[in-house]
Amino acid sequence: WLSSGLLALLILLFSTGYSQSEKQDTIPLLHGAHRIGKRMDVDMNRWRGYGLGQFIHWGLYSILGGDYNGKHYNGAAEWIRSWNQLPNAVYDSLYKQFNPKDFNADKWAAMAKQMGVKYVTITTKHHDGFCLWPSKYTSYNISNTPYKKDIIKQIVDAYTKVGIDVYLYFSVMDWHNPDWRYDLKSASDTIAFNKFKKFTQSQLEEQLRMYPQIKGFWFDGTWDNSWKKSGAFSDSLDQDLKRIHPGLIIGSRLRADDYGKRHFDSNGRLMGDYEQGWERTIPETFADTHGNDWECDMTIPENGWGYAKQWMGHWKTSDELIEMLAKCVSLDGNFVLNFGPKPNGTFRQKEVADAKAIGDWMKINNTAIYNCAHVNWEKQDWGYFTTPTSQDDKVYMIVFNVPVSGALRVLPTKNILLKKAYLLDGDKQLSIEKLDGSAYFVHLPNEGQKQPFVVVLETEKGKNGKQDINKHI
Ligand SMILES: C[C@@H]1O/C(=N\OC(=O)Nc2ccccc2)[C@@H](O)[C@H](O)[C@@H]1O
């Protein structure tokens, strides 16, 4: 009897593909990750190929621009309501003066198109609870301002018209809603927060009905205990929204698991379609990404997302921003640059200039950015490798630091040989020198490039070579 039972168990184990090598989840979860590995449908493959995105933070906080009563708030300007120098009542009445006379969504979309962005994420409701769309679930919305019109609809329509995909930023934390709770410490907290969760789901489903063209949500304000204790709700909300809008893309900031873990569940698995933790930071190595899809959201100043009259500290140059973009794509991520429009609906001069400079560079070099991925060759000091996800025998070198020798070292993985090297811009052929082992030098003409530039490498497989460049498909 025992031997037949054991035999049956062995057959069951091997028929279910169980093997010692496979990582088994040690903690049973109802609301952890429901997918292991990357999401590979057509919508997510499109997201994966974006490369460059735009973030826009715009709202009542833009009116104050980080200043109040002649004093400057040193935190992020969109958090000024939390500053104890500013009475909530003063902040909450700002909507009476919100009237962006110079707002023109087509001009915003045109600037983004020239910059070369493939997707935009716009704040529909930040932590202050003010809605830039005419929500029927709260009167604290754009229709009750002097401006009156639906800002979100204008942006969704204008960006979609020029071929830029639209994602809606939505803060779960809502300082204006009386049912919002930071924690659930009593029965009354739970009753209020249950009302709040219904309000939240209603607003999100309302946005899906009103703006069916959108491709996803960008959730924020989900770090407090009240939400960490709402893992089951966050899981069902995620599923409900995707049932209403198949293909919807939602990152790792929405959900909490059975034990309140966020971004990665209690078994270390990513919850969400991509990792949303890289805010104003970029992974250093491919290992840091754990092979997940991810996005870096970056500010031009050191911090602060909404318009600030005074940008404190270092203002990133367009060359620095282009290098961040290249680094993100070389590590299988997207780079999303934030803009904080003024209360009148225009952008500050530095933002317009950076959008132009990035766009001018993208016009020449976007082949090495759009639909490109990580190459698992040894990182070199001169810059970053990317490879088109559609072509196995091509690798791009995005060069930022030309060595005084003019010789760029390349160390492909074994059995990959370099056949040709040439400048992407102008096709000028470059000489390739074979070094010992499988390394090469690509020799640059001493033309003293002033801008980051791209070298195209055409490769071939060695005798018994196989292309082991990290490929998605
Ligand atoms: C994009 C930014 O997102 C935020 N907060 O993000 C985070 O809290 N990020 C975070 C927190 C801990 C670890 C990593 C990222 C907001 O508070 C801020 O106003 C802005 O909208």
Side-chain angles (χ1 to χ4, degrees), residues 227-435:
W227 195 256
K228 287 179 177 175
K229 292 172 180 173
S230 304
F233 173 74
S234 70
D235 191 6
S236 64
L237 175 62
D238 184 78
Q239 294 182 45
D240 291 348
L241 294 173
K242 290 182 172 180
R243 193 176 307 114
I244 295 167
H245 192 107
L248 198 68
I249 293 176
I250 296 176
S252 63
R253 276 199 195 186
L254 173 63
R255 291 183 47 204
D257 78 354
D258 311 50
Y259 299 94
K261 296 278 287 174
R262 294 173 58 243
H263 295 272
F264 296 90
D265 71 16
S266 303
N267 292 311
R269 300 196 187 279
L270 184 69
M271 286 186 288
D273 299 323
Y274 65 95
E275 195 198 335
Q276 257 180 295
W278 300 99
E279 183 200 310
R280 292 180 295 123
T281 58
I282 299 175
E284 203 42 53
T285 66
F286 187 65
D288 295 336
T289 71
H290 306 289
N292 294 312
D293 285 309
W294 58 277
E295 165 188 290
C296 162
D297 304 290
M298 188 55 72
T299 51
I300 296 174
E302 285 174 17
N303 191 7
W305 303 80
Y307 173 66
K309 288 171 187 160
Q310 307 168 53
W311 269 358
M312 315 301 279
H314 176 68
W315 302 11
K316 296 171 191 76
T317 65
S318 54
D319 279 340
E320 283 178 279
L321 297 170
I322 291 166
E323 179 159 3
M324 290 178 176
L325 164 63
K327 182 171 183 181
C328 287
V329 175
S330 78
L331 294 173
D332 269 1
N334 289 333
F335 181 66
V336 180
L337 185 61
N338 182 68
F339 290 72
K342 298 178 185 176
N344 68 358
T346 64
F347 294 99
R348 63 186 330 127
Q349 197 283 324
K350 163 70 175 160
E351 291 173 321
V352 172
D354 284 347
K356 176 76 168 60
I358 293 168
D360 289 347
W361 187 84
M362 285 291 279
K363 211 179 285 7
I364 298 167
N365 302 288
N366 67 51
T367 313
I369 297 293
Y370 296 148
N371 300 307
C372 282
H374 171 69
V375 184
N376 60 352
W377 295 3
E378 183 188 79
K379 171 76 174 66
Q380 304 294 331
D381 292 341
W382 46 258
Y384 309 89
F385 289 114
T386 66
T387 182
T389 44
S390 60
Q391 265 182 288
D392 256 353
D393 58 358
K394 201 164 269 188
V395 167
Y396 301 116
M397 302 164 62
I398 310 178
V399 183
F400 291 86
N401 315 301
V402 175
V404 286
S405 66
L408 303 181
R409 188 169 180 276
V410 176
L411 178 60
T413 42
K414 60 189 178 312
N415 294 320
I416 302 295
L417 311 175
L418 297 195
K419 233 172 47 182
K420 281 172 74 177
Y422 52 93
L423 293 178
L424 175 67
D425 182 18
D427 286 347
K428 185 187 183 73
Q429 295 301 310
L430 306 177
S431 74
I432 299 174
E433 180 186 353
K434 185 85 179 62
L435 308 176

Side-chain angles (χ1 to χ4, degrees), residues 55 57 76 78-79 123 126-127 169 173 218 220-221 223 253 262-263 276-279 297 305:
F55 216 133
H57 278 73
E78 70 282 357
W79 274 75
T123 48
H126 205 262
H127 310 327
Y169 167 108
M173 177 168 71
W218 203 98
D220 199 12
W223 46 79
R253 276 199 195 186
R262 294 173 58 243
H263 295 272
Q276 257 180 295
W278 300 99
E279 183 200 310
D297 304 290
W305 303 80

